[in-house]
């Protein structure tokens, strides 16, 4: 099990911008600019864009059989993804050479070996977030999972120990403006049945998965039509009312075994085929009871489309 923590920053209720006429594109601080619409809503009534394997826009070393084609999921760094409107980040921390980095690793059972690459360092993720929040008052959710010690032999990477988590949490307290709920350990769902103890970090902006309980199930296919129907069927089943479970629409394609070996599409090529389909396939399935909370993709682009889609949902389907 990947016991870990969610991590929230504040969407503070600083005075909203006065009435903005209909605009073609949303500003960088799109949540704050729409604070009148979004500010009083629970997260279940808001749609935000998010980034899958968000740290993997660059490759900083890895194992023998890993390369950009089978580990790179993004082309923009965290700073640029934030500026482009992404607000939910799948961050997979690893230890490499004794430091914390993002990584993208899998257990390749055929060769009985862990393979993958390191992405952006955790320290640069922290500085990217801090430079963004120094001028933008936005909600940012970081989901930590898949935490492996890659300094151990790659026949079997161990998951983080409590001490390794604590050292990561300590580093992440370098993130400014962390949102600490008045009831940090009981907000939302309480029963932290995870094996990692948040200890004092529970009052420093770190939360258990169960406290932002989400339906998050990817299709695990490289076929676009299969992924589309899988995710849209799951959304219809899960989101029967605005208060149904928090729902992440995983609009991602996953390489098959041959593709991971370089025979076929790269992750970014698969992402390029999935992306345009999001803007045609989702709309007919939306209603005031059924809409996603997180639009989750590979290769987050700076074209404004994801924010526009999220805001279309927030304006036309979701309500307070
Ligand atoms: C965060 O990641 C964990 C582990 O992959 C997952 O179970 C959980 O649903 C995720 N949370 C959200 C909000 O997607």
């Amino acid at each position: 099990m990947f016991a870990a923590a969610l991590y929230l920053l504040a969407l503070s209720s600083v005075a909203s911008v006065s009435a903005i006429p209909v605009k073609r594109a949303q500003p960088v601080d799109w949540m704050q600019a729409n604070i009148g619409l979004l500010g009083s809503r629970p997260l279940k009534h808001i749609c935000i864009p998010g980034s899958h394997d968000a740290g993997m826009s660059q490759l900083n070393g890895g194992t023998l059989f890993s390369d950009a084609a089978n580990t790179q999921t993004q082309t923009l760094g965290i700073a640029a993804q934030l500026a482009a409107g992404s607000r939910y980040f799948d961050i997979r921390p690893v230890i490499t050479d004794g430091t914390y980095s993002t990584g993208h690793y899998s257990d390749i059972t055929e060769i009985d070996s862990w393979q993958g690459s390191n992405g952006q360092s955790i320290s640069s993720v922290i500085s990217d977030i801090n430079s963004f929040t120094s001028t933008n008052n936005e909600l940012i959710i970081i989901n930590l999972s898949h935490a492996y010690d890659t300094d151990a032999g790659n026949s079997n990477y161990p998951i983080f120990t409590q001490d390794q988590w604590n050292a990561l949490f300590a580093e992440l307290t370098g993130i400014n403006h962390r949102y600490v709920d008045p009831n940090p350990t009981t907000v939302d769902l309480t029963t932290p049945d995870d094996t990692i103890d948040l200890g004092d970090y529970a009052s420093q902006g770190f939360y258990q998965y169960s406290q932002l309980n989400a339906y998050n199930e990817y299709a695990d296919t490289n076929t676009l039509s299969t992924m589309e129907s899988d995710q849209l069927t799951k959304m219809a089943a899960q989101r029967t009312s605005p208060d149904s479970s928090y729902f992440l629409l995983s609009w991602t394609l996953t390489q098959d075994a041959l593709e991971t070996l370089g025979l076929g599409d790269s992750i970014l090529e698969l992402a390029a085929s999935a992306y345009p389909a999001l803007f045609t396939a989702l709309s007919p399935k939306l209603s005031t009871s059924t809409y996603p909370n997180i639009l989750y993709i590979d290769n987050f682009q700076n074209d404004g489309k994801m924010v526009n889609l999220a805001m279309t949902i927030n304006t036309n389907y979701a309500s307070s």
Side-chain angles (χ1 to χ4, degrees):
M1 99 183 284
F2 306 117
L6 291 162
Y7 186 68
L8 302 173
L9 298 186
L11 170 64
S12 86
S13 51
V14 165
S16 65
V17 188
S18 56
I20 301 168
V22 178
K23 284 172 293 141
R24 215 169 288 267
Q26 294 286 336
V28 166
D29 63 340
W30 66 270
M31 298 191 85
Q32 192 59 232
N34 291 284
I35 196 82
L37 188 77
L38 305 177
S40 59
R41 293 189 189 181
L43 284 177
K44 278 185 180 176
H45 298 179
I46 295 178
C47 179
I48 58 174
S51 309
H52 177 229
D53 255 308
M56 299 305 298
S57 60
Q58 45 179 258
L59 266 60
N60 292 314
T63 58
L64 189 59
F65 298 111
S66 78
D67 56 22
N70 61 21
T71 56
Q72 185 178 359
T73 53
Q74 301 291 340
T75 52
L76 302 179
I78 300 296
Q81 290 175 49
L82 280 163
S86 189
R87 294 292 177 266
Y88 169 89
F89 297 88
D90 168 34
I91 294 286
R92 305 185 176 196
V94 297
I95 293 173
T96 173
D97 288 338
T99 64
Y100 289 99
S101 174
T102 60
H104 188 184
Y105 286 84
S106 316
D107 186 5
I108 310 298
T109 48
E110 290 85 349
I111 56 171
D112 197 20
S113 169
W114 284 74
Q115 295 290 322
S117 309
N118 305 319
Q120 223 179 315
S121 69
I122 292 293
S123 66
S124 75
V125 170
I126 293 171
S127 58
D128 278 4
I129 293 171
N130 286 344
S131 61
F132 182 77
T133 57
S134 70
T135 50
N136 298 287
N137 209 348
E138 297 281 289
L139 169 77
I140 302 168
I141 301 174
I142 295 177
N143 194 359
L144 302 167
S145 70
H146 298 73
Y148 299 114
D149 180 359
T150 69
D151 285 345
N154 71 346
S155 61
N156 184 15
Y157 287 156
I159 58 171
F160 282 9
T161 63
Q162 179 76 54
D163 284 349
Q164 289 169 333
W165 273 114
N166 285 351
L168 175 65
F169 293 149
E171 183 167 353
L172 291 172
T173 58
I175 296 183
N176 300 326
H177 308 299
R178 297 186 311 283
Y179 172 72
V180 180
D181 189 87
N183 299 305
T185 56
T186 54
V187 61
D188 206 346
L189 297 178
T190 35
T191 2
D193 56 355
D194 295 318
T195 54
I196 293 300
D197 183 359
L198 289 172
D200 289 346
Y201 294 106
S203 57
Q204 296 180 54
F206 297 82
Y207 302 86
Q208 298 282 356
Y209 292 146
S210 56
Q211 294 183 275
L212 183 61
N213 204 16
Y215 185 91
N216 173 345
E217 298 290 338
Y218 72 122
D220 200 4
T221 176
N222 61 359
T223 305
L224 178 59
S225 58
T226 308
M227 183 277 280
E228 281 183 19
S229 61
D230 174 270
Q231 289 297 303
L232 296 172
T233 302
K234 285 171 176 167
M235 181 177 75
Q238 294 298 318
R239 290 283 293 174
T240 54
S241 90
D243 292 319
S244 302
S245 65
Y246 195 71
F247 182 83
L248 178 146
L249 186 77
S250 192
W251 207 257
T252 57
L253 294 172
T254 304
Q255 287 181 313
D256 64 16
L258 285 176
E259 284 165 334
T260 62
L261 294 172
L263 305 169
D265 284 340
S266 68
I267 296 173
L268 291 176
E269 284 166 344
L270 289 173
S273 70
Y275 189 52
L278 178 60
F279 304 96
T280 52
L282 179 59
S283 298
K285 306 294 180 187
L286 296 171
S287 74
T288 53
S289 13
T290 304
Y291 53 86
N293 299 111
I294 299 176
L295 301 166
Y296 185 60
I297 61 166
D298 287 309
N299 204 8
F300 205 99
Q301 299 293 299
N302 188 20
D303 58 11
K305 287 184 175 179
M306 293 296 284
V307 176
N308 276 349
L309 179 57
M311 278 307 300
T312 299
I313 292 170
N314 288 327
T315 307
N316 298 345
Y317 299 101
S319 62
S320 49

